[in-house]
Amino acid sequence: RIPATPPPDLALCRQIALLVAQRETVLNAMQLEGTPSEAAESVPSAITRFLQLEDAREALAVARSNLDSLQREIQAERSLLLEAKESLQSAEQQRRLTSEHLRSASAGTRRALQIEQQLDAVRVRLSEQQLALHRDSIAEMTQRQLGVESVIASLREQIARTGSDIRLTKEELQQQ
């Protein structure tokens, strides 16, 4: 007969596997994003038309908004990192406590404490994976933040270099 819910150790192992998969996704994203300087290279080199200037200003506003969002995400992830550290400390403390009880346990309670000790080890591993995931996520978001900051700096420089003599041409007016 199959139990309605999986045993706690199986559920914990599934959570660990999920966390490992999430970490792989984060690490792959970091590799694909490239360096911050590559992000800035996507900004056009010179503005020669009025609509290009407007596009650059709009892109700057979007980049600033993205930067604000990323900074909030990083702060939230840092809070989760602190919670994960506390969870790991608690799990390690519980594992030590169970080990101490096991040393002085009677034969009747020994088997139950051995099972609990194994579960504690899995809980510690789960907490370690959560901690690693949050660290990796912060690193990935920080890398993205650097890229956005680089784009912002390039756009600001490009807009600043643009002379005040750029006007809306008849062609651009007709396009609009």
Side-chain angles (χ1 to χ4, degrees), residues 13-148:
C13 290
R14 287 181 181 159
Q15 286 179 336
I16 291 170
L18 179 62
L19 288 171
V20 168
Q22 288 173 328
R23 282 188 67 206
E24 288 176 6
T25 301
V26 168
L27 294 173
N28 286 339
M30 283 177 68
Q31 291 175 345
L32 292 175
E33 285 173 15
T35 64
S37 61
E38 290 173 348
E41 289 173 5
S42 65
V43 176
S45 59
I47 296 175
T48 57
R49 303 176 64 102
F50 182 80
L51 290 180
Q52 288 176 320
L53 178 60
E54 288 302 305
D55 289 345
R57 287 179 178 155
E58 185 176 320
L60 180 60
V62 169
R64 285 179 178 156
S65 176
N66 289 343
L67 181 61
D68 289 342
S69 295
L70 267 173
Q71 289 171 336
R72 284 190 299 275
E73 286 180 48
I74 290 170
Q75 189 58 41
E77 199 66 34
R78 285 185 176 140
S79 294
L80 292 172
L81 178 70
L82 290 176
E83 289 176 22
K85 284 180 181 179
E86 291 171 5
S87 177
L88 176 59
Q89 290 172 347
S90 176
E92 287 174 336
Q93 182 179 13
Q94 182 61 44
R95 180 174 62 176
R96 286 190 299 273
L97 187 61
T98 302
S99 293
E100 288 174 18
H101 285 113
L102 185 59
R103 285 188 212 111
S104 61
S106 64
T109 59
R110 186 173 271 300
R111 180 67 185 138
L113 284 172
Q114 287 173 336
I115 292 171
E116 189 62 33
Q117 186 180 37
Q118 291 171 347
L119 282 173
D120 288 344
V122 174
R123 288 183 189 113
V124 166
R125 184 160 181 244
L126 175 63
S127 293
E128 290 170 343
Q129 289 299 317
Q130 287 172 329
L131 187 64
L133 174 62
H134 294 303
R135 282 184 181 143
D136 292 345
S137 294
I138 289 170
E140 186 268 336
M141 285 187 268
T142 301
Q143 182 179 343
R144 280 193 291 151
Q145 179 182 354
L146 292 173
V148 172

